[in-house]
Amino acid sequence: MEFFTHNTKINFMRLRKITAVISLLLFIISIASLSVKGLNWGLDFSGGTQVQLTFPQSVDLHQLRTKLASAGFEKSEVQSYGSSHDALITIGLTGNKEERSKDQGVVTKEVTNKLKQLFPQAKQQGANAIGAKVSKELANKGVLAVLVSMILISIYIAFRFEYRMAISSAVALIHDPIVILGIFSLFHIEFGLNALAALLTVIGYSLNDTIVVFDRVRENFRKMRGSDAVEVVNSAINQTLSRTIMTSALTLVVVLALLFFGGPIIRSFSIALVIGIVIGTYSSIYVAGALAVALGLSRKDLLPPAKPTEESFQ
Amino acid sequence: MLDFKRQLPKSKAVLNRTPRWLNVLMIIILLVAALYAAPNLFGENPAVQISSSTPGQNPSDMAVSKVTAALKKSSLSTTAITRENKHIVVRFNSADDQLKGKEVLQQALGNQFIVASYNAPATPKWLRKIGGQPMKLGLDLRGGMSLLLQVDVADVIKRRLHNSIRDIGQTLRKEKIPYRAIIPGDNSITINFREATQRDQAFKILAVKLREYSWQKNSSGEQYQMIGQLSQPALIQIRQYTMEQSINSFSRRVNELGISEAQVQQQGMNRISIELPGVTDATEAQDILGKTATIDVHLVDINHDLSQTLVSGKVPPGDLLIKDQSGRSVLLKSDVVLSGDSITNAVSSLDQRSGEPQVSVTVAGGAQSKLYNTTRANVGKPMAVVYNETKSTKQEVNGKTVIRYHKHSTVISVANIQGAFGASFRVTGLSSGEAKQLALLLRAGSLPANVTILSEQQIGPSMGKANVRRGKLSIEIGFLLVVLFMALYYRTMGIIADIALFVNLILIVAIMSLLRGTMTFPGIASLVLTIGMAVDGNVLIFERIREELRRGTSIQGAIHAGYDRAAVTIVDAQLTTLIAAIVLFAIGVGPIKGFAIVLTIGLFTSMLTSITYTRAMVNFLFGGKALKKLPIGMTVKKEKG
């Protein structure tokens, strides 16, 4: 079975100026949203109280939400899980001064008491109390790890390929997670530990994609004499097009299955992955590829050092 | 356009043949992997785990027969009673039986044993014998309890300073060197002298004796001082020792709870993370872990008048005023005759004569002589056992988190010293529950430092199960769709890729199970990534082969070229991701580490299965044969030119 005409000759690089602008815009919007609006940190990061309630009858989540809001819980979320009788209520720490002066255990007690008043018929299954300080360390370490690995990867790419490609792939690698975070921020989607795992997955995926494209670019530069960088990159992308679409489609299929069947707990995870795969593919072509061209990538940069190649000489 | 000429070997029969030894090796690897991945298919049984109260002791055969007898009497049926790892494991048919069984066994076995309920993996015996076991599931998938504790190392340092100060005082007095004052400071000690000669004399002696401090002479105005700063290596050593002791202590406490897969680990500089998977009884865990308790033994001060002290409110120097359980005050000498950390064992039982609960305490060798000497010199005089409990609370003060400790001391028994003892003694005057708890806390080792609970999370098992079920379902659906699509699009080659994908998963599961790695939700995320990359690898190879076929290369040549070229790409891609995985593993904490482990394993297995396994299968089916068409899902239309 085949879906595509091989031998496509789409001039992807023609759009590179436009997409550069789009990418820049996305980037700026994301950074802006993150600085102004911030992220909707999940309980894993913000700290707070999470209580599981089991009701004698089926729960109406909407009703719960309105009740919580009117009771003055600013940062609250309601999820269902387990059965239709169960609800997971998350009361995030607001971080205001009054709250912070209290002991964590006291805050938890207050929340559970208030909830008992609001929903006297429900049984409280368990209460989570998480100190925010804990997870900040985790987030910081995570960011550090990502940055260090980006540097190391860039070095590897510089050796195996070429330094301009290293730079452009590094930019693409930073571009993807920031845009995803921006979308999370804009739409106020909860960013928890699972979403972080998704982010890491996306980085890995985008990296894989970028390398595959670059590999073909490298090969083409060596084969296609007399073509300029734009032509070479274009043909590389065209040649890998069927593979790119196939892989993206297959991975998307898995992730969409996760999104639709995986339940509310992994929702933010699935969303991040779906966005990430699309953006990852996009960035491999238009951020990494185009930037390498813009930086002046040319054939001589990619020729192997003087050693006999399998190519015959003209 | 010049074509990329490849060295095609003259004889085509050499192409696309996997050496037999490699084929055999791959089959062996697959079978072994399947064997060790198998335990994950067996599920769990509700069970009860019985361990001896004395840490590290194997329950005796008599215990086993007691267990069997007790269960028979209450007509509870079991699926198996086995010994595993210094525990007796009793497997039941249902969770109800498990609950009943726990109560029955607790009653029957008494204080010598700890009975805890948990979910035992249902791995068959023969498989367990060769080391097969299922993967460990993280808390987010399994449910349980997770705690993060902070150890107050600063307090330990303060205590060390005070000990040194006492030491210095004793030494100077012995050497008859007069001094004005000894003042503790910020990780430092300052000694003031009136004259320089005194200071210099002291310096000569103390600088040698107390080497963990770096001493300096100083003079300010009329004072001659020597200031000792606790050296950096000494600070590091104190911290390390404190952390190690604390971790040990908590490990033992956690063992007391009878939880087999618990994890106690150091996190960062002064934190400990404790994970108790499958723990359903959270209150008991919190109780044991949240408390810090020690006992100290003091002599009662009979020389000073208690009532006078109460009236005047002034405690005589060198004394402590502590209330007992009924609220009466007792005047004690502050010198600690025996401290909690010199206790090697403590067992609660019933006194044979009086039937009263008691705790028998065994004393460590180093502390025995002091205890013996003190008791011998004070026969007939009263001695008190003080129970110290430290509770901590967290508060935010001026933006900083401040931890306050409240120490609560109670005299739990005052008794006259009957005779000298050094090696062991008994504590009476407790209720049965108190005796049991005291024994447990003493056994678990006193903590060298105060500890606060920073974070405490309880994931109900229902949440874990629901998660796992849905997650499993969605991955299965996704997987099935991928398999289907590959088969449709790439025909036979696609099916080969699908088989390789299954092999990949089996390998990952087997390695995780063998390594006793923990599978968390981020781990599942990296599984998704690994599957994606493995599929990508195969797609790369197949698309290359298709390209070659279109170009007119022979089938054998196309296969060879396809793998040849694509392998380079795949290795480059996997290696770069491997760099990221290793960095994440090294720097990352907790769940990020989990992500990195599975990713690393997955990258290696993917490289293996996508390239080597599929190649072997392709070679087996198509290698060296004269074929008209390669079933790769396309019809070859030779390109012109």
Side-chain angles (χ1 to χ4, degrees):
Chain A
M1 193 196 288
E2 283 197 67
F3 282 153
F4 325 99
T5 40
H6 32 87
N7 233 358
T8 52
K9 284 205 164 60
I10 307 175
N11 189 349
F12 287 98
M13 287 294 105
R14 181 169 52 115
L15 296 172
R16 71 182 188 278
K17 300 238 170 79
I18 306 177
T19 56
V21 173
I22 296 179
S23 286
L24 212 59
L25 266 175
L26 278 173
F27 203 79
I28 295 179
I29 295 178
S30 299
I31 303 259
S33 179
L34 282 169
S35 348
V36 171
K37 207 170 172 190
L39 265 181
N40 178 6
W41 294 101
L43 187 66
D44 299 323
F45 291 113
S46 75
T49 321
Q50 195 175 52
V51 185
Q52 299 158 226
L53 296 176
T54 309
F55 290 82
Q57 75 280 24
S58 289
V59 249
D60 180 355
L61 294 178
H62 191 69
Q63 216 183 41
L64 285 182
R65 284 193 194 106
T66 20
K67 249 191 156 175
L68 284 170
S70 56
F73 284 124
E74 301 175 346
K75 221 180 160 195
S76 76
E77 275 171 23
V78 180
Q79 280 173 342
S80 83
Y81 71 85
S83 69
S84 60
H85 294 246
D86 295 316
L88 182 68
I89 299 186
T90 312
I91 312 281
L93 287 180
T94 52
N96 61 19
K97 261 180 113 178
E98 187 209 327
E99 194 177 61
R100 273 193 285 144
S101 64
K102 288 190 222 150
D103 175 44
Q104 176 71 40
V106 172
V107 174
T108 313
K109 250 293 152 60
E110 284 182 5
V111 169
T112 46
N113 282 339
K114 228 172 165 183
L115 284 177
K116 230 178 266 183
Q117 286 177 333
L118 274 180
F119 308 109
Q121 75 278 37
K123 201 165 63 139
Q124 293 193 356
Q125 294 279 36
N128 290 0
I130 311 190
K133 207 167 146 195
V134 176
S135 307
K136 280 282 163 67
E137 185 184 346
L138 190 133
N140 288 338
K141 283 233 162 107
V143 170
L144 179 67
V146 170
L147 285 175
V148 169
S149 46
M150 275 189 196
I151 295 175
L152 288 177
I153 290 173
S154 302
I155 297 178
Y156 178 84
I157 296 181
F159 271 113
R160 285 286 288 163
F161 295 83
E162 199 266 346
Y163 82 92
R164 289 186 191 84
M165 297 164 105
I167 298 177
S168 48
S169 68
V171 171
L173 275 185
I174 301 183
H175 165 272
D176 294 345
I178 300 256
V179 169
I180 295 183
L181 284 175
I183 294 182
F184 265 71
S185 163
L186 265 177
F187 293 99
H188 209 61
I189 307 174
E190 175 178 320
F191 188 80
L193 209 55
N194 293 343
L196 180 67
L199 210 65
L200 295 172
T201 310
V202 164
I203 293 178
Y205 179 83
S206 170
L207 181 62
N208 185 52
D209 218 40
T210 309
I211 300 276
V212 170
V213 171
F214 275 0
D215 174 80
R216 195 56 103 113
V217 167
R218 171 177 60 180
E219 181 186 336
N220 280 1
F221 262 117
R222 292 179 190 171
K223 272 165 51 180
M224 296 164 74
R225 297 157 180 224
S227 313
D228 70 353
V230 175
E231 279 177 33
V232 170
V233 174
N234 259 337
S235 64
I237 298 174
N238 275 294
Q239 283 159 354
T240 53
L241 193 60
S242 54
R243 167 256 154 208
T244 305
I245 297 185
M246 270 301 282
T247 306
S248 302
L250 283 172
T251 324
L252 259 179
V253 154
V254 176
V255 173
L256 284 172
L258 282 176
L259 183 61
F260 290 127
F261 299 104
I265 310 288
I266 56 175
R267 179 144 294 144
S268 53
F269 173 78
S270 321
I271 293 177
L273 274 184
V274 170
I275 302 173
I277 291 177
V278 171
I279 295 198
T281 315
Y282 160 85
S283 75
S284 301
I285 302 175
Y286 280 111
V287 178
L291 193 55
V293 170
L295 288 174
L297 186 65
S298 68
R299 183 167 172 270
K300 57 177 164 53
D301 303 314
L302 281 166
L303 280 184
K307 67 173 177 257
T309 64
E310 302 116 71
E311 299 178 26
S312 60
F313 289 91
Q314 249 177 340
Chain B
M1 189 176 101
L2 205 67
D3 202 358
F4 201 168
K5 277 217 192 94
R6 253 161 278 103
Q7 308 284 45
L8 278 178
K10 298 281 172 168
S11 116
K12 288 220 190 118
V14 180
L15 263 185
N16 301 330
R17 274 237 183 282
T18 318
R20 169 167 293 167
W21 66 267
L22 190 54
N23 277 326
V24 172
L25 182 63
M26 286 198 283
I27 295 182
I28 293 180
I29 293 180
L30 177 58
L31 288 175
V32 170
L35 195 66
Y36 281 99
N40 290 287
L41 296 170
F42 287 102
E44 293 178 325
N45 304 124
V48 158
Q49 181 183 267
I50 302 165
S51 9
S52 160
S53 290
T54 321
Q57 211 184 56
N58 235 326
S60 62
D61 289 325
M62 207 173 66
V64 180
S65 38
K66 258 200 200 163
V67 168
T68 342
L71 290 169
K72 209 181 254 172
K73 217 167 83 168
S74 41
S75 42
L76 271 172
S77 62
T78 62
T79 56
I81 301 181
T82 49
R83 273 181 186 278
E84 283 163 48
N85 257 0
K86 304 209 170 137
H87 305 292
I88 305 176
V89 178
V90 182
R91 289 185 161 88
F92 293 96
N93 288 314
S94 70
D96 284 330
D97 280 353
Q98 177 193 36
L99 213 60
K100 259 187 255 162
K102 179 178 174 191
E103 287 171 17
V104 163
L105 288 170
Q106 194 111 51
Q107 287 263 8
L109 291 170
N111 285 332
Q112 301 289 70
F113 294 95
I114 303 170
V115 181
S117 51
Y118 84 121
N119 288 322
T123 323
K125 207 174 187 177
W126 60 270
L127 197 48
R128 250 184 292 133
K129 274 222 169 101
I130 53 173
Q133 55 184 2
M135 265 189 306
K136 285 203 279 192
L137 290 179
L139 280 191
D140 50 1
L141 296 177
R142 199 165 198 259
M145 249 187 98
S146 142
L147 293 130
L148 192 68
L149 306 158
Q150 181 155 304
V151 180
D152 188 6
V153 181
D155 187 57
V156 176
I157 297 178
K158 226 180 10 180
R159 266 187 273 152
R160 170 73 87 94
L161 285 179
H162 280 277
N163 282 344
S164 300
I165 291 177
R166 211 182 37 205
D167 233 355
I168 295 174
Q170 278 179 345
T171 314
L172 290 181
R173 278 193 295 271
K174 205 169 74 163
E175 301 290 329
K176 303 228 189 343
I177 304 175
Y179 61 91
R180 260 199 170 158
I182 313 178
I183 311 167
D186 184 22
N187 289 350
S188 65
I189 299 177
T190 309
I191 317 176
N192 292 334
F193 300 89
R194 199 173 315 198
E195 288 165 33
T197 42
Q198 295 166 340
R199 191 254 324 259
D200 295 336
Q201 252 190 309
F203 191 90
K204 264 201 279 201
I205 301 174
L206 292 174
V208 170
K209 191 156 195 254
L210 285 135
R211 242 186 274 247
E212 64 264 34
Y213 297 84
S214 49
W215 294 97
Q216 274 181 332
K217 296 188 196 170
N218 191 28
S219 24
S220 69
E222 284 215 342
Q223 301 256 49
Y224 293 92
Q225 300 176 322
M226 55 182 282
I227 306 178
Q229 188 79 25
L230 202 52
S231 69
Q232 197 62 6
L235 278 171
I236 295 178
Q237 191 234 29
I238 294 178
R239 158 168 283 127
Q240 264 183 333
Y241 178 73
T242 311
M243 289 306 289
E244 272 170 21
Q245 281 290 89
S246 306
I247 291 178
N248 264 333
S249 169
F250 277 111
S251 299
R252 290 169 73 185
R253 289 189 189 200
V254 158
N255 278 334
E256 295 284 333
L257 290 172
I259 300 159
S260 50
E261 306 129 3
Q263 269 188 349
V264 179
Q265 286 170 334
Q266 181 163 350
Q267 228 188 58
M269 292 257 280
N270 56 356
R271 296 202 187 133
I272 300 177
S273 103
I274 300 181
E275 287 197 357
L276 309 168
V279 166
T280 40
D281 188 358
T283 40
E284 193 183 337
Q286 276 166 327
D287 218 27
I288 304 280
L289 294 174
K291 274 199 206 153
T292 316
T294 62
I295 65 161
D296 290 328
V297 176
H298 297 257
L299 283 172
V300 177
D301 187 348
I302 46 178
N303 296 330
H304 291 95
D305 191 16
L306 177 64
S307 43
Q308 253 196 356
T309 313
L310 289 174
V311 162
S312 68
K314 277 169 96 177
V315 177
D319 275 5
L320 296 169
L321 192 66
I322 301 181
K323 292 212 169 83
D324 73 5
Q325 283 155 316
S326 48
R328 272 176 301 155
S329 302
V330 185
L331 198 57
L332 303 171
K333 294 205 183 144
S334 54
D335 184 39
V336 174
V337 175
L338 173 71
S339 82
D341 48 25
S342 300
I343 294 177
T344 54
N345 199 8
V347 180
S348 73
S349 56
L350 294 176
D351 183 307
Q352 286 174 325
R353 278 175 295 140
S354 63
E356 292 289 303
Q358 65 177 9
V359 178
S360 313
V361 182
T362 323
V363 179
Q368 283 176 7
S369 53
K370 177 166 185 187
L371 186 61
Y372 185 79
N373 290 336
T374 314
T375 49
R376 192 179 60 171
N378 291 284
V379 175
K381 301 212 190 104
M383 195 172 78
V385 178
V386 178
Y387 180 70
N388 301 311
E389 211 179 312
T390 311
K391 291 219 175 89
S392 56
T393 52
K394 271 187 319 175
Q395 279 177 333
E396 285 259 346
V397 173
N398 296 332
K400 274 193 355 181
T401 305
V402 161
I403 298 175
R404 299 228 170 97
Y405 294 98
H406 315 281
K407 189 169 174 185
H408 189 69
S409 301
T410 328
V411 172
I412 52 175
S413 110
V414 178
N416 289 331
I417 300 173
Q418 308 280 13
F421 57 82
S424 68
F425 64 96
R426 285 174 305 153
V427 180
T428 52
L430 309 156
S431 74
S432 171
E434 282 169 0
K436 214 170 137 212
Q437 233 208 23
L438 178 63
L440 195 148
L441 286 166
L442 290 178
R443 269 197 313 269
S446 71
L447 289 173
N450 294 316
V451 154
T452 327
I453 300 185
L454 279 184
S455 136
E456 178 190 316
Q457 215 172 341
Q458 206 174 309
I459 307 173
S462 58
M463 176 164 166
K465 268 205 208 114
N467 258 357
V468 177
R469 218 177 347 118
R470 281 183 121 145
K472 249 196 201 164
L473 182 68
S474 51
I475 289 192
E476 280 167 15
I477 293 179
F479 197 71
L480 224 61
L481 287 170
V482 168
V483 164
L484 219 63
F485 205 72
M486 285 291 273
L488 281 174
Y489 197 71
Y490 290 113
R491 292 302 155 107
T492 316
M493 297 289 268
I495 298 180
I496 292 180
D498 290 336
I499 298 177
L501 209 51
F502 274 112
V503 173
N504 197 358
L505 281 179
I506 293 178
L507 280 173
I508 297 180
V509 170
I511 296 179
M512 282 293 281
S513 305
L514 269 176
L515 285 181
R516 280 147 223 234
T518 311
M519 178 63 86
T520 57
F521 187 79
I524 296 190
S526 38
L527 264 185
V528 171
L529 179 60
T530 308
I531 296 178
M533 288 178 73
V535 167
D536 187 40
N538 280 317
V539 170
L540 272 171
I541 297 174
F542 295 164
E543 287 297 322
R544 264 308 171 155
I545 296 181
R546 282 190 179 183
E547 231 181 282
E548 291 295 325
L549 287 174
R550 274 182 226 122
R551 228 182 260 163
T553 321
S554 68
I555 290 184
Q556 302 298 333
I559 295 177
H560 182 91
Y563 269 94
D564 209 32
R565 199 57 199 60
V568 173
T569 320
I570 295 176
V571 168
D572 260 336
Q574 311 268 38
L575 270 180
T576 40
T577 319
L578 194 63
I579 295 177
I582 295 179
V583 171
L584 278 175
F585 179 78
I587 303 186
V589 151
I592 297 185
K593 239 187 172 91
F595 179 86
I597 293 179
V598 181
L599 185 59
T600 312
I601 298 176
L603 282 171
F604 281 114
T605 56
S606 297
M607 269 194 267
L608 186 67
T609 53
S610 297
I611 303 180
T612 322
Y613 269 84
T614 55
R615 188 71 190 275
M617 284 188 269
V618 167
N619 285 351
F620 178 72
L621 285 176
F622 308 116
K625 304 196 179 127
L627 294 166
K628 273 232 205 124
K629 194 171 98 131
L630 185 65
I632 198 171
M634 61 176 266
T635 43
V636 181
K637 278 177 279 191
K638 296 217 175 149
E639 254 167 46
K640 42 172 197 30

